[in-house]
Amino acid sequence: MPHSPAPLTRPVPSRRSFLIGASLASAAAALAACSGSSSERSSNTLKVAYQKTSAFTQLEDLLTKAKGEFEAANSEVTIELVPIEAEQDQYFTKLALMNGSDSTAPDVIYEDSFQVRSDAAAGYLMPIDEYVEAWEDWDQFVDSAKEAGLGDDGKLYGVSMGTDTRGIYFNKQIFAQAGLPEDWQPTTWDEILDAARTIKNKVPDVIPLNIFVAKAGGEMTSMQGFEMLLSGTDSELLYNADTQKWVTGSQGFVDSLAFMDTVYAEELGPGLDVALDATIGNRVSTELLPEGKLAIAIDGSWMPGGWISGDNPWPEWEETMGLAMMPTQNGQGEGFTSMSGGWTLAVGSKCANPDAAFQFISIALNYENTLKYDTENAQVAVRTDVAESEEYLSYNPSFEFFSGLVQYTHFRPTTPDYSQISGNIQIACESVVTGDATPEQAAATYDSGLIAIVGEDGTEAAS
Amino acid sequence: MSVPTATVTTAVRTSASSSRRHSPGRVLQRTAPLIPAVVLLGMFLLGPILYSLYGSLTDRAMSGYKAAAPQFVGLDNYVALLSDPAFLKSILLTAVFVFASAIVGQNVLGMALAVLMRHCARPLASLVGGIVVVAWALPEIVAAFACYAFFASEGTLNSMLAFIGLTGPKWLLTFPMLSVILANVWRGTAFSMMQYNAALAQVPPEVKESAAIDGASAAQSFFRITLPIIRRSIATNLMLTTLQTLGVFTLIWVMTGGGPGTSSSTLPVLAYQEAFKFSQVGYGTAIATVTLLVGAVFSVVYMKLLKPEVD
């Protein structure tokens, strides 16, 4: 309004200062609102963050039981259970965002062993060495379980709840229809593909084989999918622990992707609409296998836990499902392979009452509760007293099989970068099965992504 | 929270110094009522933008050492972006998505509906308008699930096709971009329709009558009289729908997750994936900043092309 008349009144100082004052006051109020909630953390409430899905409620049962026992012993501290209802991949994201702020950071965290190093390096976790030293049960844990909780700095950050192995599940009824043996045990990758091809021909209305390939599947794709293959090749490794360098240009990497390519190119796997969906993991265990729509699944040892005691029990699984070891590519090496991970309970670094937090963990993972969790969630026990107990051994007939895989098992690289690099593996897998890239191209993209993350110095060419 | 505080003092200082340059007090008196709005904009709009700009210059990650102590890496993220095929593809996909669903789809369809509704029987117009507006009234997540259910392999669309004996493709896999574009057109057309309906009502009938007397056809009258008169509404609407579409995330995320592969990863989806799935928060922020710039460029182009402020 350039031509409007000049105001008749002179500026009134009080009004001006009022307006400035008002705006400053409103800004101050807004600032206070932003920062107010993070001022202090209560030492009388422990927030326990954990994952929960429709197929995974055993952990909630365990923590609820432990909450009752803890609160009965400590009248002044209450446990607040904070379930994060998300698939595994989104669980990590939500957890990292919670850890990012003082006001939301949990006190006790259900933490995947492969995230321990990364989250410890990020300053999200608190070392608990002094607490386990004073904990009489600590001697019961096997060494590999103690190492699973170590950070890059050699301090302990998590107490292992159990471990797992991976193998092949197959539906014996579908195998019978296809004329395949009930005691099937492939010794090379080709034998897996051959069985899948036979099923495709003889029993055309079922999905012959599932191996996880999607970005949306997250760590499931890296571990149950890709690394189960890679660990059975001559290259075997993503990371050379001796030289502390990541491996580029590996033939095994290309071969593993080529296996996935074959499965999806020959339509031996589920349709991509199913395979690329974030719910694929859940669907395999609660729908595709129990409903007899899937013949072969490369998956984790915990699956029978959901069939025995989950929301959708499937008591017939024992008669229906056969178990086979995952062979190496051409039967080389020891002939079979497996991957192991496992989860821990950790104390958040912002915790105001670590004594109580560790006490809660020690209750949640005492003999009785570990036994409950390891049986119901089909974990490979890492407490020797649990692993040797009659009650554990007789609970689930698959325990013996999956415990037997420990001798063939591999672990993921234990570096803080792994979780980020794992994302690049998932990109490679998905790009191959969708036809965006050949296995060679996808492996080259992975290599350049790897160098971007760890730097040229952090890599070495495969021998 | 040092940034907003700094903004407050700068805002006050700027207004104080400008009042000295012009006639004292007068400018301040006029700007004073704006100060709360400026402060709030600074805090909740400029602040986050500056912070995101700063974040895009670091290698911040969700976890690991780079989460505890992010390093300042200068323009590294932007340099990496330019050589990242996924990013270049994403720019192209975003352009296609915005052009097809907002500029063509929502605007043309919205205009067509608005024009047709002015020429048809009232009950029919209300009925059609009501149906179209439902898509707009639905919360985005609900609309996204509805579209997912519609386009899914065993969804409504393929069931309807099966009913007449056709086997539909797996829409979300085979035609992911087409699916999300149609979904966004469905969802956003109501907004354009309402805008244009209001704008058309403002066109003085006597201008069109005199054109008709001079022998102008309906098409001529529409393109040479109506459109120029409602030019400002078109500019505003183009700008709003473009910016809205540029930021569409939920719809694409729910329907395709940006996939298969990266074949429907527009800029917001890519930014989310890089930051929250692959943990590269700095890199993701750089993508978000580029998205912001793209939006700014679109706005400037519309303002220049259609000159909404001149009548």
Side-chain angles (χ1 to χ4, degrees), chain A residues 16 24 89 93 118-119 122 124 152 215 273 277 420 423 426 430, chain B residues 8 28-29 35 43 62-65 148 153 173 261 276-278 280:
Chain A
R16 185 200 310 167
L24 284 174
D89 203 34
T93 304
S118 182
D119 283 351
Y124 297 155
D152 231 15
K215 273 193 295 197
D273 51 336
D277 205 279
Q420 220 177 328
Q426 295 150 28
E430 183 163 324
Chain B
V8 174
L28 174 67
Q29 199 178 20
I35 290 176
M43 269 175 47
M62 290 271 287
S63 184
Y65 291 115
Y148 176 79
S153 303
L173 278 178
F276 296 119
K277 179 157 171 46
F278 301 123
Q280 309 193 47

PDB file of all heavy atoms in Angstrom, chain A residues 16 24 89 93 118-119 122 124 152 215 273 277 420 423 426 430, chain B residues 8 28-29 35 43 62-65 148 153 173 261 276-278 280:
ATOM      1  N   ARG A  16       4.107  -0.241  21.180  1.00  0.00           N
ATOM      2  CA  ARG A  16       5.196  -0.911  20.491  1.00  0.00           C
ATOM      3  C   ARG A  16       5.881  -1.928  21.419  1.00  0.00           C
ATOM      4  O   ARG A  16       6.062  -3.082  21.080  1.00  0.00           O
ATOM      5  CB  ARG A  16       6.209   0.121  20.020  1.00  0.00           C
ATOM      6  CG  ARG A  16       7.319  -0.473  19.184  1.00  0.00           C
ATOM      7  CD  ARG A  16       8.512   0.453  19.166  1.00  0.00           C
ATOM      8  NE  ARG A  16       8.153   1.833  18.832  1.00  0.00           N
ATOM      9  CZ  ARG A  16       8.993   2.856  19.006  1.00  0.00           C
ATOM     10  NH1 ARG A  16      10.190   2.652  19.509  1.00  0.00           N
ATOM     11  NH2 ARG A  16       8.632   4.067  18.691  1.00  0.00           N
ATOM     12  N   LEU A  24       8.059 -11.638  22.022  1.00  0.00           N
ATOM     13  CA  LEU A  24       9.147 -12.320  22.726  1.00  0.00           C
ATOM     14  C   LEU A  24       8.595 -13.340  23.709  1.00  0.00           C
ATOM     15  O   LEU A  24       9.096 -14.456  23.825  1.00  0.00           O
ATOM     16  CB  LEU A  24      10.024 -11.302  23.473  1.00  0.00           C
ATOM     17  CG  LEU A  24      10.974 -10.500  22.585  1.00  0.00           C
ATOM     18  CD1 LEU A  24      11.681  -9.440  23.410  1.00  0.00           C
ATOM     19  CD2 LEU A  24      11.981 -11.427  21.931  1.00  0.00           C
ATOM     20  N   ASP A  89      12.585 -54.353  10.726  1.00  0.00           N
ATOM     21  CA  ASP A  89      13.290 -53.253  10.108  1.00  0.00           C
ATOM     22  C   ASP A  89      12.866 -51.911  10.689  1.00  0.00           C
ATOM     23  O   ASP A  89      13.682 -51.053  11.002  1.00  0.00           O
ATOM     24  CB  ASP A  89      12.981 -53.296   8.608  1.00  0.00           C
ATOM     25  CG  ASP A  89      14.046 -52.610   7.824  1.00  0.00           C
ATOM     26  OD1 ASP A  89      15.206 -52.691   8.236  1.00  0.00           O
ATOM     27  OD2 ASP A  89      13.712 -51.992   6.807  1.00  0.00           O
ATOM     28  N   THR A  93      14.502 -48.547  13.305  1.00  0.00           N
ATOM     29  CA  THR A  93      14.350 -47.124  13.038  1.00  0.00           C
ATOM     30  C   THR A  93      13.688 -46.424  14.210  1.00  0.00           C
ATOM     31  O   THR A  93      14.162 -45.394  14.687  1.00  0.00           O
ATOM     32  CB  THR A  93      13.494 -46.919  11.777  1.00  0.00           C
ATOM     33  OG1 THR A  93      14.100 -47.624  10.706  1.00  0.00           O
ATOM     34  CG2 THR A  93      13.388 -45.461  11.432  1.00  0.00           C
ATOM     35  N   SER A 118      26.954 -51.021  16.927  1.00  0.00           N
ATOM     36  CA  SER A 118      26.554 -49.770  16.298  1.00  0.00           C
ATOM     37  C   SER A 118      25.940 -48.808  17.325  1.00  0.00           C
ATOM     38  O   SER A 118      26.304 -47.636  17.397  1.00  0.00           O
ATOM     39  CB  SER A 118      25.568 -50.121  15.195  1.00  0.00           C
ATOM     40  OG  SER A 118      25.160 -48.999  14.520  1.00  0.00           O
ATOM     41  N   ASP A 119      25.013 -49.322  18.127  1.00  0.00           N
ATOM     42  CA  ASP A 119      24.333 -48.455  19.086  1.00  0.00           C
ATOM     43  C   ASP A 119      25.244 -48.075  20.249  1.00  0.00           C
ATOM     44  O   ASP A 119      25.100 -46.995  20.832  1.00  0.00           O
ATOM     45  CB  ASP A 119      23.053 -49.132  19.597  1.00  0.00           C
ATOM     46  CG  ASP A 119      21.938 -49.049  18.568  1.00  0.00           C
ATOM     47  OD1 ASP A 119      22.117 -48.328  17.569  1.00  0.00           O
ATOM     48  OD2 ASP A 119      20.896 -49.699  18.751  1.00  0.00           O
ATOM     49  N   ALA A 122      27.215 -45.278  19.002  1.00  0.00           N
ATOM     50  CA  ALA A 122      26.402 -44.069  18.908  1.00  0.00           C
ATOM     51  C   ALA A 122      26.121 -43.468  20.279  1.00  0.00           C
ATOM     52  O   ALA A 122      25.533 -42.397  20.382  1.00  0.00           O
ATOM     53  CB  ALA A 122      25.079 -44.383  18.205  1.00  0.00           C
ATOM     54  N   TYR A 124      24.203 -44.865  22.645  1.00  0.00           N
ATOM     55  CA  TYR A 124      22.834 -45.130  23.099  1.00  0.00           C
ATOM     56  C   TYR A 124      22.799 -46.104  24.278  1.00  0.00           C
ATOM     57  O   TYR A 124      21.794 -46.218  24.956  1.00  0.00           O
ATOM     58  CB  TYR A 124      21.986 -45.724  21.969  1.00  0.00           C
ATOM     59  CG  TYR A 124      21.793 -44.841  20.768  1.00  0.00           C
ATOM     60  CD1 TYR A 124      21.528 -45.388  19.514  1.00  0.00           C
ATOM     61  CD2 TYR A 124      21.839 -43.455  20.883  1.00  0.00           C
ATOM     62  CE1 TYR A 124      21.335 -44.580  18.400  1.00  0.00           C
ATOM     63  CE2 TYR A 124      21.656 -42.647  19.768  1.00  0.00           C
ATOM     64  CZ  TYR A 124      21.408 -43.210  18.530  1.00  0.00           C
ATOM     65  OH  TYR A 124      21.218 -42.416  17.433  1.00  0.00           O
ATOM     66  N   ASP A 152      32.492 -52.181  20.464  1.00  0.00           N
ATOM     67  CA  ASP A 152      33.773 -52.021  19.791  1.00  0.00           C
ATOM     68  C   ASP A 152      34.895 -51.748  20.783  1.00  0.00           C
ATOM     69  O   ASP A 152      36.053 -52.060  20.525  1.00  0.00           O
ATOM     70  CB  ASP A 152      33.657 -50.820  18.827  1.00  0.00           C
ATOM     71  CG  ASP A 152      34.120 -51.181  17.444  1.00  0.00           C
ATOM     72  OD1 ASP A 152      34.256 -52.392  17.175  1.00  0.00           O
ATOM     73  OD2 ASP A 152      34.330 -50.258  16.647  1.00  0.00           O
ATOM     74  N   LYS A 215      14.009 -55.451   0.130  1.00  0.00           N
ATOM     75  CA  LYS A 215      14.480 -54.363   0.986  1.00  0.00           C
ATOM     76  C   LYS A 215      13.583 -54.245   2.209  1.00  0.00           C
ATOM     77  O   LYS A 215      14.055 -54.024   3.317  1.00  0.00           O
ATOM     78  CB  LYS A 215      14.407 -53.033   0.225  1.00  0.00           C
ATOM     79  CG  LYS A 215      15.620 -52.724  -0.578  1.00  0.00           C
ATOM     80  CD  LYS A 215      15.594 -51.277  -1.040  1.00  0.00           C
ATOM     81  CE  LYS A 215      14.457 -51.001  -1.991  1.00  0.00           C
ATOM     82  NZ  LYS A 215      14.625 -49.765  -2.758  1.00  0.00           N
ATOM     83  N   ASP A 273       4.834 -59.550  -5.763  1.00  0.00           N
ATOM     84  CA  ASP A 273       3.912 -58.769  -4.925  1.00  0.00           C
ATOM     85  C   ASP A 273       3.934 -59.278  -3.486  1.00  0.00           C
ATOM     86  O   ASP A 273       3.795 -58.508  -2.538  1.00  0.00           O
ATOM     87  CB  ASP A 273       2.488 -58.793  -5.494  1.00  0.00           C
ATOM     88  CG  ASP A 273       2.008 -60.208  -5.786  1.00  0.00           C
ATOM     89  OD1 ASP A 273       2.855 -61.092  -5.987  1.00  0.00           O
ATOM     90  OD2 ASP A 273       0.783 -60.412  -5.811  1.00  0.00           O
ATOM     91  N   ASP A 277       6.735 -57.455  -0.193  1.00  0.00           N
ATOM     92  CA  ASP A 277       5.920 -56.835   0.837  1.00  0.00           C
ATOM     93  C   ASP A 277       6.621 -56.913   2.190  1.00  0.00           C
ATOM     94  O   ASP A 277       7.299 -57.891   2.488  1.00  0.00           O
ATOM     95  CB  ASP A 277       4.574 -57.556   0.902  1.00  0.00           C
ATOM     96  CG  ASP A 277       3.500 -56.665   1.458  1.00  0.00           C
ATOM     97  OD1 ASP A 277       3.411 -56.524   2.691  1.00  0.00           O
ATOM     98  OD2 ASP A 277       2.757 -56.091   0.645  1.00  0.00           O
ATOM     99  N   GLN A 420      24.496 -50.639   8.404  1.00  0.00           N
ATOM    100  CA  GLN A 420      24.342 -49.802   7.217  1.00  0.00           C
ATOM    101  C   GLN A 420      24.678 -50.593   5.945  1.00  0.00           C
ATOM    102  O   GLN A 420      24.003 -50.476   4.927  1.00  0.00           O
ATOM    103  CB  GLN A 420      25.290 -48.620   7.342  1.00  0.00           C
ATOM    104  CG  GLN A 420      24.692 -47.335   6.877  1.00  0.00           C
ATOM    105  CD  GLN A 420      25.665 -46.185   7.092  1.00  0.00           C
ATOM    106  OE1 GLN A 420      26.454 -46.169   8.032  1.00  0.00           O
ATOM    107  NE2 GLN A 420      25.602 -45.220   6.210  1.00  0.00           N
ATOM    108  N   GLY A 423      22.016 -52.856   4.686  1.00  0.00           N
ATOM    109  CA  GLY A 423      21.027 -52.203   3.830  1.00  0.00           C
ATOM    110  C   GLY A 423      21.410 -52.284   2.355  1.00  0.00           C
ATOM    111  O   GLY A 423      20.559 -52.479   1.489  1.00  0.00           O
ATOM    112  N   GLN A 426      20.592 -55.632   0.941  1.00  0.00           N
ATOM    113  CA  GLN A 426      19.166 -55.763   0.608  1.00  0.00           C
ATOM    114  C   GLN A 426      18.843 -55.093  -0.724  1.00  0.00           C
ATOM    115  O   GLN A 426      18.047 -55.603  -1.515  1.00  0.00           O
ATOM    116  CB  GLN A 426      18.318 -55.160   1.740  1.00  0.00           C
ATOM    117  CG  GLN A 426      18.465 -55.914   3.049  1.00  0.00           C
ATOM    118  CD  GLN A 426      18.279 -55.017   4.255  1.00  0.00           C
ATOM    119  OE1 GLN A 426      17.569 -54.013   4.195  1.00  0.00           O
ATOM    120  NE2 GLN A 426      18.910 -55.363   5.369  1.00  0.00           N
ATOM    121  N   GLU A 430      17.197 -57.095  -3.938  1.00  0.00           N
ATOM    122  CA  GLU A 430      15.940 -56.694  -4.566  1.00  0.00           C
ATOM    123  C   GLU A 430      16.154 -56.290  -6.023  1.00  0.00           C
ATOM    124  O   GLU A 430      15.332 -56.586  -6.889  1.00  0.00           O
ATOM    125  CB  GLU A 430      15.268 -55.557  -3.779  1.00  0.00           C
ATOM    126  CG  GLU A 430      13.921 -55.176  -4.383  1.00  0.00           C
ATOM    127  CD  GLU A 430      13.025 -54.366  -3.458  1.00  0.00           C
ATOM    128  OE1 GLU A 430      13.037 -54.610  -2.237  1.00  0.00           O
ATOM    129  OE2 GLU A 430      12.292 -53.503  -3.957  1.00  0.00           O
TER     130      GLU A 430
ATOM    131  N   VAL B   8      14.932 -14.480  16.759  1.00  0.00           N
ATOM    132  CA  VAL B   8      14.144 -13.476  17.460  1.00  0.00           C
ATOM    133  C   VAL B   8      14.903 -12.165  17.508  1.00  0.00           C
ATOM    134  O   VAL B   8      14.403 -11.116  17.099  1.00  0.00           O
ATOM    135  CB  VAL B   8      13.836 -13.949  18.895  1.00  0.00           C
ATOM    136  CG1 VAL B   8      13.154 -12.844  19.668  1.00  0.00           C
ATOM    137  CG2 VAL B   8      12.991 -15.190  18.855  1.00  0.00           C
ATOM    138  N   LEU B  28       7.972   0.801  11.743  1.00  0.00           N
ATOM    139  CA  LEU B  28       7.907  -0.127  12.865  1.00  0.00           C
ATOM    140  C   LEU B  28       6.461  -0.363  13.266  1.00  0.00           C
ATOM    141  O   LEU B  28       6.038  -1.487  13.494  1.00  0.00           O
ATOM    142  CB  LEU B  28       8.696   0.426  14.055  1.00  0.00           C
ATOM    143  CG  LEU B  28       8.550  -0.442  15.304  1.00  0.00           C
ATOM    144  CD1 LEU B  28       9.207  -1.796  15.099  1.00  0.00           C
ATOM    145  CD2 LEU B  28       9.112   0.251  16.527  1.00  0.00           C
ATOM    146  N   GLN B  29       5.725   0.742  13.270  1.00  0.00           N
ATOM    147  CA  GLN B  29       4.328   0.608  13.699  1.00  0.00           C
ATOM    148  C   GLN B  29       3.582  -0.344  12.776  1.00  0.00           C
ATOM    149  O   GLN B  29       2.701  -1.077  13.203  1.00  0.00           O
ATOM    150  CB  GLN B  29       3.672   1.974  13.665  1.00  0.00           C
ATOM    151  CG  GLN B  29       2.422   2.004  14.514  1.00  0.00           C
ATOM    152  CD  GLN B  29       1.812   3.386  14.505  1.00  0.00           C
ATOM    153  OE1 GLN B  29       2.091   4.201  13.612  1.00  0.00           O
ATOM    154  NE2 GLN B  29       0.983   3.652  15.487  1.00  0.00           N
ATOM    155  N   ILE B  35       5.381  -9.038  13.693  1.00  0.00           N
ATOM    156  CA  ILE B  35       6.512  -9.682  14.357  1.00  0.00           C
ATOM    157  C   ILE B  35       6.181 -11.080  14.913  1.00  0.00           C
ATOM    158  O   ILE B  35       6.922 -12.027  14.657  1.00  0.00           O
ATOM    159  CB  ILE B  35       7.098  -8.770  15.449  1.00  0.00           C
ATOM    160  CG1 ILE B  35       7.794  -7.597  14.747  1.00  0.00           C
ATOM    161  CG2 ILE B  35       8.121  -9.524  16.306  1.00  0.00           C
ATOM    162  CD1 ILE B  35       8.339  -6.564  15.694  1.00  0.00           C
ATOM    163  N   MET B  43      10.798 -19.609  13.578  1.00  0.00           N
ATOM    164  CA  MET B  43      11.059 -20.751  14.453  1.00  0.00           C
ATOM    165  C   MET B  43      10.646 -22.069  13.830  1.00  0.00           C
ATOM    166  O   MET B  43      11.354 -23.056  13.916  1.00  0.00           O
ATOM    167  CB  MET B  43      10.312 -20.570  15.774  1.00  0.00           C
ATOM    168  CG  MET B  43      11.146 -19.854  16.808  1.00  0.00           C
ATOM    169  SD  MET B  43      10.205 -19.513  18.285  1.00  0.00           S
ATOM    170  CE  MET B  43       9.439 -21.057  18.591  1.00  0.00           C
ATOM    171  N   MET B  62      22.036 -42.821  11.753  1.00  0.00           N
ATOM    172  CA  MET B  62      21.085 -43.158  12.818  1.00  0.00           C
ATOM    173  C   MET B  62      21.769 -43.833  13.986  1.00  0.00           C
ATOM    174  O   MET B  62      21.312 -43.777  15.116  1.00  0.00           O
ATOM    175  CB  MET B  62      20.037 -44.128  12.266  1.00  0.00           C
ATOM    176  CG  MET B  62      19.093 -43.511  11.297  1.00  0.00           C
ATOM    177  SD  MET B  62      17.689 -42.848  12.144  1.00  0.00           S
ATOM    178  CE  MET B  62      16.865 -44.359  12.556  1.00  0.00           C
ATOM    179  N   SER B  63      22.833 -44.566  13.685  1.00  0.00           N
ATOM    180  CA  SER B  63      23.501 -45.343  14.725  1.00  0.00           C
ATOM    181  C   SER B  63      24.980 -45.388  14.382  1.00  0.00           C
ATOM    182  O   SER B  63      25.387 -44.962  13.313  1.00  0.00           O
ATOM    183  CB  SER B  63      22.888 -46.743  14.770  1.00  0.00           C
ATOM    184  OG  SER B  63      23.452 -47.469  15.823  1.00  0.00           O
ATOM    185  N   GLY B  64      25.781 -45.929  15.273  1.00  0.00           N
ATOM    186  CA  GLY B  64      27.223 -46.006  15.020  1.00  0.00           C
ATOM    187  C   GLY B  64      27.929 -44.711  15.396  1.00  0.00           C
ATOM    188  O   GLY B  64      27.321 -43.778  15.917  1.00  0.00           O
ATOM    189  N   TYR B  65      29.238 -44.659  15.102  1.00  0.00           N
ATOM    190  CA  TYR B  65      30.041 -43.498  15.501  1.00  0.00           C
ATOM    191  C   TYR B  65      29.521 -42.203  14.900  1.00  0.00           C
ATOM    192  O   TYR B  65      29.610 -41.137  15.493  1.00  0.00           O
ATOM    193  CB  TYR B  65      31.497 -43.703  15.091  1.00  0.00           C
ATOM    194  CG  TYR B  65      32.190 -44.779  15.878  1.00  0.00           C
ATOM    195  CD1 TYR B  65      32.637 -45.941  15.273  1.00  0.00           C
ATOM    196  CD2 TYR B  65      32.388 -44.631  17.247  1.00  0.00           C
ATOM    197  CE1 TYR B  65      33.254 -46.944  15.998  1.00  0.00           C
ATOM    198  CE2 TYR B  65      33.006 -45.625  17.991  1.00  0.00           C
ATOM    199  CZ  TYR B  65      33.445 -46.780  17.357  1.00  0.00           C
ATOM    200  OH  TYR B  65      34.043 -47.751  18.090  1.00  0.00           O
ATOM    201  N   TYR B 148      -4.312 -49.103  -2.149  1.00  0.00           N
ATOM    202  CA  TYR B 148      -3.568 -50.372  -2.116  1.00  0.00           C
ATOM    203  C   TYR B 148      -4.532 -51.531  -2.338  1.00  0.00           C
ATOM    204  O   TYR B 148      -4.282 -52.423  -3.152  1.00  0.00           O
ATOM    205  CB  TYR B 148      -2.849 -50.501  -0.782  1.00  0.00           C
ATOM    206  CG  TYR B 148      -2.119 -51.823  -0.612  1.00  0.00           C
ATOM    207  CD1 TYR B 148      -0.885 -52.017  -1.212  1.00  0.00           C
ATOM    208  CD2 TYR B 148      -2.679 -52.866   0.122  1.00  0.00           C
ATOM    209  CE1 TYR B 148      -0.214 -53.223  -1.085  1.00  0.00           C
ATOM    210  CE2 TYR B 148      -2.022 -54.068   0.252  1.00  0.00           C
ATOM    211  CZ  TYR B 148      -0.784 -54.249  -0.347  1.00  0.00           C
ATOM    212  OH  TYR B 148      -0.131 -55.445  -0.226  1.00  0.00           O
ATOM    213  N   SER B 153      -2.717 -57.188  -6.191  1.00  0.00           N
ATOM    214  CA  SER B 153      -2.863 -58.264  -7.181  1.00  0.00           C
ATOM    215  C   SER B 153      -4.212 -58.962  -7.085  1.00  0.00           C
ATOM    216  O   SER B 153      -4.791 -59.350  -8.086  1.00  0.00           O
ATOM    217  CB  SER B 153      -1.757 -59.284  -6.983  1.00  0.00           C
ATOM    218  OG  SER B 153      -0.522 -58.645  -7.092  1.00  0.00           O
ATOM    219  N   LEU B 173       3.203 -53.917  -9.257  1.00  0.00           N
ATOM    220  CA  LEU B 173       4.524 -54.407  -9.649  1.00  0.00           C
ATOM    221  C   LEU B 173       4.861 -54.020 -11.070  1.00  0.00           C
ATOM    222  O   LEU B 173       5.954 -53.566 -11.372  1.00  0.00           O
ATOM    223  CB  LEU B 173       4.540 -55.933  -9.581  1.00  0.00           C
ATOM    224  CG  LEU B 173       4.760 -56.546  -8.235  1.00  0.00           C
ATOM    225  CD1 LEU B 173       4.696 -58.042  -8.359  1.00  0.00           C
ATOM    226  CD2 LEU B 173       6.109 -56.128  -7.712  1.00  0.00           C
ATOM    227  N   GLY B 261      12.113 -52.494  -6.465  1.00  0.00           N
ATOM    228  CA  GLY B 261      13.405 -51.855  -6.638  1.00  0.00           C
ATOM    229  C   GLY B 261      13.282 -50.392  -6.265  1.00  0.00           C
ATOM    230  O   GLY B 261      12.851 -50.065  -5.168  1.00  0.00           O
ATOM    231  N   PHE B 276      16.164 -43.137   7.073  1.00  0.00           N
ATOM    232  CA  PHE B 276      15.649 -43.961   8.160  1.00  0.00           C
ATOM    233  C   PHE B 276      15.770 -45.447   7.926  1.00  0.00           C
ATOM    234  O   PHE B 276      15.647 -46.221   8.847  1.00  0.00           O
ATOM    235  CB  PHE B 276      14.193 -43.580   8.454  1.00  0.00           C
ATOM    236  CG  PHE B 276      14.071 -42.180   8.936  1.00  0.00           C
ATOM    237  CD1 PHE B 276      13.334 -41.238   8.245  1.00  0.00           C
ATOM    238  CD2 PHE B 276      14.726 -41.781  10.093  1.00  0.00           C
ATOM    239  CE1 PHE B 276      13.245 -39.931   8.686  1.00  0.00           C
ATOM    240  CE2 PHE B 276      14.647 -40.481  10.548  1.00  0.00           C
ATOM    241  CZ  PHE B 276      13.900 -39.557   9.841  1.00  0.00           C
ATOM    242  N   LYS B 277      15.986 -45.859   6.687  1.00  0.00           N
ATOM    243  CA  LYS B 277      16.182 -47.293   6.477  1.00  0.00           C
ATOM    244  C   LYS B 277      17.664 -47.617   6.356  1.00  0.00           C
ATOM    245  O   LYS B 277      18.147 -48.555   6.950  1.00  0.00           O
ATOM    246  CB  LYS B 277      15.438 -47.757   5.223  1.00  0.00           C
ATOM    247  CG  LYS B 277      15.642 -49.234   4.958  1.00  0.00           C
ATOM    248  CD  LYS B 277      14.553 -49.824   4.113  1.00  0.00           C
ATOM    249  CE  LYS B 277      14.914 -51.231   3.683  1.00  0.00           C
ATOM    250  NZ  LYS B 277      15.428 -52.065   4.775  1.00  0.00           N
ATOM    251  N   PHE B 278      18.379 -46.786   5.581  1.00  0.00           N
ATOM    252  CA  PHE B 278      19.794 -47.065   5.400  1.00  0.00           C
ATOM    253  C   PHE B 278      20.656 -46.184   6.282  1.00  0.00           C
ATOM    254  O   PHE B 278      21.853 -46.080   6.084  1.00  0.00           O
ATOM    255  CB  PHE B 278      20.158 -46.951   3.923  1.00  0.00           C
ATOM    256  CG  PHE B 278      19.361 -47.904   3.095  1.00  0.00           C
ATOM    257  CD1 PHE B 278      18.579 -47.474   2.057  1.00  0.00           C
ATOM    258  CD2 PHE B 278      19.354 -49.247   3.420  1.00  0.00           C
ATOM    259  CE1 PHE B 278      17.811 -48.375   1.334  1.00  0.00           C
ATOM    260  CE2 PHE B 278      18.593 -50.146   2.700  1.00  0.00           C
ATOM    261  CZ  PHE B 278      17.819 -49.712   1.655  1.00  0.00           C
ATOM    262  N   GLN B 280      21.520 -43.245   6.668  1.00  0.00           N
ATOM    263  CA  GLN B 280      22.349 -42.112   6.261  1.00  0.00           C
ATOM    264  C   GLN B 280      21.538 -40.828   6.376  1.00  0.00           C
ATOM    265  O   GLN B 280      21.019 -40.317   5.387  1.00  0.00           O
ATOM    266  CB  GLN B 280      22.830 -42.296   4.828  1.00  0.00           C
ATOM    267  CG  GLN B 280      23.466 -43.658   4.616  1.00  0.00           C
ATOM    268  CD  GLN B 280      24.208 -43.735   3.307  1.00  0.00           C
ATOM    269  OE1 GLN B 280      24.970 -42.863   2.973  1.00  0.00           O
ATOM    270  NE2 GLN B 280      23.985 -44.799   2.571  1.00  0.00           N
TER     271      GLN B 280
END
